[in-house]
Amino acid sequence: MSRFLSPEAARLAPYTPGEQPVDMQYVKLNTNESPFPPSPRVLQALSQEEAGRLNLYSDPACGRLNRAIAARYGLAPESVISGNGSDEVLAFAFRALCGTGRGVAFADITYSFYRSQAALFGLEETIVPLREDFSLNVDDYMDFPGTVVIANPNAPTGMALPRLDIQRLLEANPDRVVMVDEAYVDFGGESCAPLVGQYDNLLVVQTMSKSRSLAGGRLGFALGSRELIDALNRVKYSFNPYNVNRLSILAGAAAIEDEDYFQSCCRTIRDNRAWLTGQLEELGFSVLPSQTNFVFAKSGKISGGALYRGLKERGVLVRWWAGSGRIEDFVRITVGSMEQLKILVEQIAALLEKR
């Protein structure tokens, strides 16, 4: 560790991304990427003419992109903010909506970026354990006075809450912000986007990395009341005004506008998820009920670590969290193409047979 590192930076708990092999010689089912290319409209939007304008700054207001998102969700553009991935949008929200006298609460088993952001901004965090069956119960958050952050569907469990539960939480304390991270909602969850016009204490965060096949484009956005979006913009314009590049603005707008392609990809993922779940259960796995583009599963015949290592040796990557307590025997498996999933199942069966 550098002797120049500040005490504030030394206390950070950086997020650990999934493996990204540069040789791509793996069946890569560890980072929840889409197995599909972006919409054909995205490729049309990224013309050589547009690439020739990269000498110019992008629109700091992301006007074209925000208007497309707003139209899709029936909101005014002033209720939308776009960012360099949903991680950046979450960072804006953590900085804008939490602070002295206003801590943040989130689950013990959820997206670990929340803990990284709480440490980065020196926030008082309250960790709320999931129930024994890995479900999240909003009653456990009712008395918390600060900002509540809920991933719905949750990651890495894949389990989802009904919108009505979030609504109860919003109504229990109108002076408390509820941030709902909907990175995976398009694969079967119930979005809170329709509630944005009713509750000024609701912030809905989504990403284009998963269901819209733009993980490499780094695009995320949030929906909320004008007051909440103004608060996030205050942070954005104090940190990185030109946060979304010119080509990603065009790509994101095109992806949002191609509803048919989006729905087709999501439908295929849901079908593939059902097939994968059935295959794993036949192999003796316990699989949590997923509404995402991944499944969270464990075997009674092999530990999570041994399964992860054995699959990696056979050219298949899945996600495993070493030393993670009650989820250490689970692995998270991205729902890829059927070709990828058949290879995965074959290799798991071979591993189990060998043992």
Side-chain angles (χ1 to χ4, degrees):
M1 187 176 292
S2 170
R3 71 181 191 278
F4 300 112
L5 191 67
S6 70
E8 290 78 11
R11 73 168 182 240
L12 299 183
Y15 171 70
T16 303
E19 296 168 89
Q20 294 284 359
V22 294
D23 56 7
M24 292 305 292
Q25 308 215 344
Y26 291 92
V27 176
K28 194 168 178 293
L29 300 174
N30 65 324
T31 50
N32 299 339
E33 295 152 316
S34 172
F36 311 114
S39 157
R41 292 195 194 180
V42 170
L43 305 182
Q44 293 169 9
L46 302 181
S47 64
Q48 186 173 349
E49 180 182 359
E50 291 296 341
R53 296 192 177 100
L54 286 176
N55 59 306
L56 305 175
Y57 282 111
S58 59
D59 173 14
C62 301
R64 181 172 177 180
L65 176 57
N66 286 358
R67 286 192 297 272
I69 294 169
R72 204 272 181 179
Y73 290 97
L75 297 167
E78 293 76 20
S79 287
V80 180
I81 182 173
S82 295
N84 192 303
S86 60
D87 286 345
E88 183 183 59
V89 177
L90 286 166
F92 292 160
F94 269 71
R95 179 66 290 173
L97 306 175
C98 310
T100 303
R102 187 186 298 166
V104 59
F106 45 84
D108 62 334
I109 300 171
T110 192
Y111 185 29
S112 61
F113 189 76
Y114 307 151
R115 185 164 290 187
S116 300
Q117 288 299 301
L120 177 63
F121 297 124
L123 304 175
E124 183 179 342
E125 64 180 28
T126 297
I127 307 300
V128 182
L130 297 179
R131 297 294 176 96
E132 187 70 22
D133 62 354
F134 298 105
S135 63
L136 186 149
N137 193 315
V138 296
D139 290 337
D140 297 336
Y141 295 81
M142 286 297 178
D143 296 330
F144 182 74
T147 299
V148 174
V149 183
I150 293 177
N152 191 38
N154 194 21
T157 66
M159 297 169 67
L161 287 171
R163 185 162 56 217
L164 185 59
D165 280 3
I166 304 293
Q167 197 166 357
R168 287 199 299 116
L169 196 57
L170 290 163
E171 293 175 353
N173 184 351
D175 296 322
R176 171 186 58 195
V177 173
V178 178
M179 293 165 47
V180 185
D181 182 357
E182 295 187 343
Y184 300 99
V185 75
D186 296 323
F187 301 108
E190 194 174 15
S191 177
C192 288
L195 302 180
V196 166
Q198 297 175 239
Y199 299 97
D200 64 359
N201 59 329
L202 169 65
L203 188 75
V204 176
V205 181
Q206 292 197 12
T207 179
M208 298 195 194
S209 295
K210 321 297 182 185
S211 57
R212 298 187 189 273
S213 304
L214 288 177
R218 307 310 306 128
L219 280 171
F221 59 92
L223 313 173
S225 66
R226 182 167 186 165
E227 291 76 14
L228 284 184
I229 298 302
D230 283 348
L232 270 64
N233 272 316
R234 185 179 182 88
V235 174
K236 167 188 166 174
Y237 284 98
S238 300
F239 172 66
N240 187 17
Y242 302 99
N243 63 325
V244 182
N245 70 72
R246 295 181 66 90
L247 297 185
S248 288
I249 288 174
L250 296 174
I256 284 285
E257 290 163 356
D258 195 345
E259 186 71 17
D260 289 343
Y261 185 80
F262 160 75
Q263 293 292 351
S264 174
C265 290
C266 291
R267 186 165 50 248
T268 301
I269 291 297
R270 290 193 292 270
D271 291 343
N272 290 5
R273 182 181 67 209
W275 181 87
L276 175 59
T277 299
Q279 293 293 309
L280 290 173
E281 289 176 342
E282 284 186 18
L283 290 170
F285 279 74
S286 298
V287 185
L288 296 188
S290 174
Q291 296 297 326
T292 65
N293 69 336
F294 61 83
V295 297
F296 202 51
K298 72 172 182 176
S299 168
K301 303 173 183 177
I302 185 172
S303 70
L307 179 60
Y308 159 75
R309 289 186 291 269
L311 287 174
K312 186 174 182 179
E313 290 171 0
R314 293 166 176 264
V316 180
L317 289 180
V318 296
R319 190 75 190 267
W320 171 63
W321 286 266
S324 52
R326 59 178 169 148
I327 63 168
E328 189 165 7
D329 276 335
F330 282 82
V331 294
R332 191 192 68 190
I333 305 171
T334 302
V335 177
S337 66
M338 281 303 298
E339 179 184 8
Q340 291 175 314
L341 298 183
K342 286 178 180 177
I343 293 172
L344 166 78
V345 171
E346 288 171 3
Q347 295 304 327
I348 291 177
L351 263 178
L352 295 179
E353 184 178 355
K354 182 179 178 181
R355 291 179 69 89

